[in-house]
Amino acid sequence: MTGSAGPGASPAAGQGARLTAWLAVAAIVVSILIMIVVSAGGPNLSVPAVHGAAHPPWWHPLHFTATFTVLSMWFAMLLGCAGVLAGLVATARGARLPVRLLLALGFLAVLVIIVLPAAGSTDALSYAANGRMAVIGHSPYVMTPKQLKYIGDPIGRQIGIGIPDLWNSTVSVYGPVATAAEWIAAKLGGVSLAHIVFWLKAIEAVSYLVVALVLDRLLRRDPAMRLRAHLLWTANPLLLWEIVASGHIDGLAAAFGLLAVVALRRNLASSGAFISGLMVGLATGVKVEFALLGLAVAWASRRSVRALAAAAAGFGVITLPAYLLAGTPAIKVLVTRSPGVTWDTMYQLFWRPVLGYTQFDVNHQPPHLELVAYLLFAAIALLAMVRVPHRPPSPGIAELPALAPALGLSLAWLFVTAFQRPWYDVMAISLLALYSASLLDWVVLIRLLAGATVYVIAIGNPVEPRWLYDIGQFDAMWLTPTVRLLATIALVGLCVSGRWGWRSSYPQAGVVDNARDNVPGQQLPLAT
């Protein structure tokens, strides 16, 4: 970071890399600004209407047309993803943007976005209804948002007409920790739906920033890795939209999940294992899928009975009391719910032309599709756990034995299960940020971009132009499923070949770059 190259680059960086880095920042800034304008100018196709006099959130209706809203958001997402990828490439080539600039950009974006209405999804309204049920003494695992409206509750009435009925008639599918977070937001928000949504977004914003600060702390001695982490996470417009703007509960689960992975160190100390199990319990208490990280912790601790027992104890300390308080309905939901199939899954490419299904119907899916998806997940999970390199994340921090299996399991789950949402990807991206640059970055980010474009529209609009509707249908039923399929093939190919294309965070003489690090399990020499 010193010498004639100046503060914006390492000595190995060229002029092109430095220019690319600053263009990347410009693209990210413009992308975030577009997202802010669309959110502040709601309600529109991306921003559901919310009611209640309490503020924040704040907004000013600008009456954006369907065409303007959708095309603006598609452009913002494409530009944001391109900016992140360009920044990662420039960083791998030696460019060194000021880390504080990206930190400030991410923090400022979060602070602005949380005071705007929820955008990109109606899930926050569902969370608000669940929290309100808990506040007034009903179980969200028994009562539905529609029933909340029927009993005359003010929040039930404010949910309003036009919200998709899919979750409106469904009990909560989230864990008791998620319900606790929803209860807090509802308690603080009172009888204003808008204010409850604000507090829900605030909880996700805090979770998002916790991940950013944990990554920053872990990688503080490695400028390149630190910069890379903030590009992938803190200032990533796609994640800011899917977690902070939308208020999805996955941000809270990702924060607990990352803490679970980093708590377990190479010496398998019982205290670290206990904390790791505790964090897995909290993450699983938000979304049950995060139990996969518990499997990663168990795998990493398999040679130490003491560490395994400590991790199990930590998990039990959270999980048992949480489900005892939530009651048997919360457990019943885990057993009886069907994971379902989303319309932009890669399996769409097979059930339409091969099996003769002419359109997506959640109630009429190809037989045994979920079983096939789970079997495929098991196979790819085993492959990824073995083949994802167990690398030291950065000079100066201890090896994290649960990192590689956690990343492998997360990628397998996200890539091949039949129910896909772009905001689920935070499970893997928070872990990927602890690795150096590789081809996997492109696979994960392009796949995230494809999924994000499908969920730009939160509320259907009958005045949406036919040509825009047709493009959206093509995107969801052909383009994004194709990208998801190619991403899965790429993941398997990387695992089998071992040609990840890892790049050292210090492109200087004496530090191994791509060639030797293609071998799974091989360690990079630490830079000094």
Side-chain angles (χ1 to χ4, degrees):
M1 301 281 293
T2 58
S4 60
S10 73
Q15 187 66 33
R18 293 193 289 273
L19 177 61
T20 300
W22 286 108
L23 288 175
V25 171
I28 290 170
V29 169
V30 172
S31 174
I32 293 173
L33 287 175
I34 294 173
M35 293 176 178
I36 288 173
V37 170
V38 169
S39 297
N44 50 53
L45 257 67
S46 290
V47 184
V50 290
H51 306 280
H55 296 289
W58 290 287
W59 69 93
H60 181 74
L62 296 178
H63 308 291
F64 292 139
T65 65
T67 301
F68 179 85
T69 301
V70 174
L71 294 184
S72 295
M73 284 305 307
W74 280 348
F75 176 72
M77 289 174 172
L78 180 61
L79 189 64
C81 184
V84 172
L85 286 170
L88 293 175
V89 169
T91 301
R93 293 178 178 175
R96 296 293 178 267
L97 291 165
V99 173
R100 291 182 180 178
L101 173 66
L102 283 182
L103 266 173
L105 174 60
F107 272 64
L108 180 61
V110 167
L111 291 176
V112 172
I113 290 171
I114 61 172
V115 299
L116 303 176
S121 171
T122 58
D123 284 6
L125 305 183
S126 172
Y127 304 156
N130 292 338
R132 177 62 179 176
M133 294 172 205
V135 166
I136 64 176
H138 292 274
S139 170
Y141 304 106
V142 176
M143 176 179 275
T144 66
K146 183 177 290 187
Q147 291 170 333
L148 183 67
K149 179 180 179 180
Y150 286 161
I151 67 172
D153 183 81
I155 297 302
R157 293 197 303 268
Q158 289 170 39
I159 289 176
I161 301 172
I163 305 303
D165 194 57
L166 180 61
W167 60 256
N168 214 9
S169 304
T170 306
V171 298
S172 175
V173 296
Y174 303 104
V177 177
T179 299
E182 293 161 352
W183 179 88
I184 292 171
K187 193 72 174 177
L188 294 171
V191 294
S192 167
L193 177 62
H195 208 40
I196 294 175
V197 169
F198 161 73
W199 284 110
L200 287 165
K201 289 183 63 177
I203 291 171
E204 295 311 304
V206 170
S207 303
Y208 189 85
L209 295 178
V210 164
V211 173
L213 292 174
V214 169
L215 293 173
D216 188 76
R217 178 67 178 174
L218 286 170
L219 302 171
R220 65 191 183 280
R221 295 181 57 184
D222 187 332
M225 290 285 289
R226 190 180 175 204
L227 178 60
R228 165 184 157 75
H230 292 308
L231 283 166
L232 265 177
W233 183 273
T234 313
N236 186 338
L238 295 176
L239 296 189
L240 287 167
W241 178 260
E242 300 297 351
I243 299 301
V244 184
S246 300
H248 283 118
I249 203 74
D250 302 71
L252 181 61
F256 289 134
L258 177 63
L259 291 171
V261 170
V262 303
L264 188 70
R265 294 305 175 107
R266 182 169 49 190
N267 60 5
L268 299 179
S270 297
S271 58
F274 178 83
I275 295 173
S276 183
L278 198 74
M279 293 297 110
V280 171
L282 289 169
T284 305
V286 177
K287 294 192 71 173
V288 69
E289 291 82 0
F290 278 77
L292 289 172
L293 300 186
L295 181 59
V297 170
W299 176 260
S301 307
R302 65 191 182 279
R303 294 186 176 90
S304 172
V305 175
R306 181 175 297 179
L308 274 173
F315 181 81
V317 163
I318 291 295
T319 305
L320 294 178
Y323 277 94
L324 284 174
L325 287 173
T328 55
I331 301 174
K332 183 178 179 181
V333 166
L334 298 180
V335 177
T336 60
R337 71 168 182 155
S338 173
V341 179
T342 47
W343 71 327
D344 59 334
T345 177
M346 66 179 181
Y347 301 105
Q348 176 82 260
L349 300 173
F350 300 98
W351 83 52
R352 285 173 58 82
V354 177
L355 301 178
Y357 285 75
T358 57
Q359 61 183 2
F360 175 81
D361 185 347
V362 71
N363 296 315
H364 296 87
Q365 303 163 12
H368 311 303
L369 176 59
E370 291 179 12
L371 176 61
V372 170
Y374 281 129
L375 291 175
L376 188 58
F377 157 70
I380 295 180
L382 288 173
L383 176 66
M385 284 182 67
V386 172
R387 299 293 290 180
V388 169
H390 294 250
R391 300 159 39 83
S394 169
I397 67 172
E399 183 183 357
L400 306 175
L403 177 59
L407 180 59
L409 286 167
S410 299
L411 291 172
W413 178 263
L414 296 169
F415 277 45
V416 302
T417 49
F419 199 90
Q420 306 277 340
R421 290 286 190 261
W423 47 90
Y424 295 177
D425 289 10
V426 293
M427 177 192 285
I429 293 176
S430 59
L431 304 175
L432 183 62
L434 291 172
Y435 278 81
S436 58
S438 74
L439 296 175
L440 188 57
D441 296 343
W442 290 77
V443 174
V444 169
L445 288 172
I446 292 175
R447 181 183 175 279
L448 172 62
L449 170 64
T453 60
V454 174
Y455 295 95
V456 163
I457 297 177
I459 299 295
N461 189 331
V463 301
E464 179 184 358
R466 180 68 191 188
W467 64 268
L468 186 62
Y469 172 83
D470 289 339
I471 292 176
Q473 291 293 303
F474 173 78
D475 180 22
M477 302 181 78
W478 294 104
L479 180 58
T480 294
T482 300
V483 172
R484 292 189 187 279
L485 176 62
L486 293 175
T488 303
I489 294 172
L491 174 63
V492 173
L494 291 172
C495 289
V496 172
S497 68
R499 298 183 179 277
W500 301 88
W502 299 113
R503 297 180 66 93
S504 168
S505 56
Y506 287 91
Q508 302 169 9
V511 179
V512 175
D513 198 347
N514 290 332
R516 282 181 56 193
D517 195 42
N518 286 336
V519 181
Q522 184 167 327
Q523 303 289 339
L524 273 178
L526 300 184
T528 58

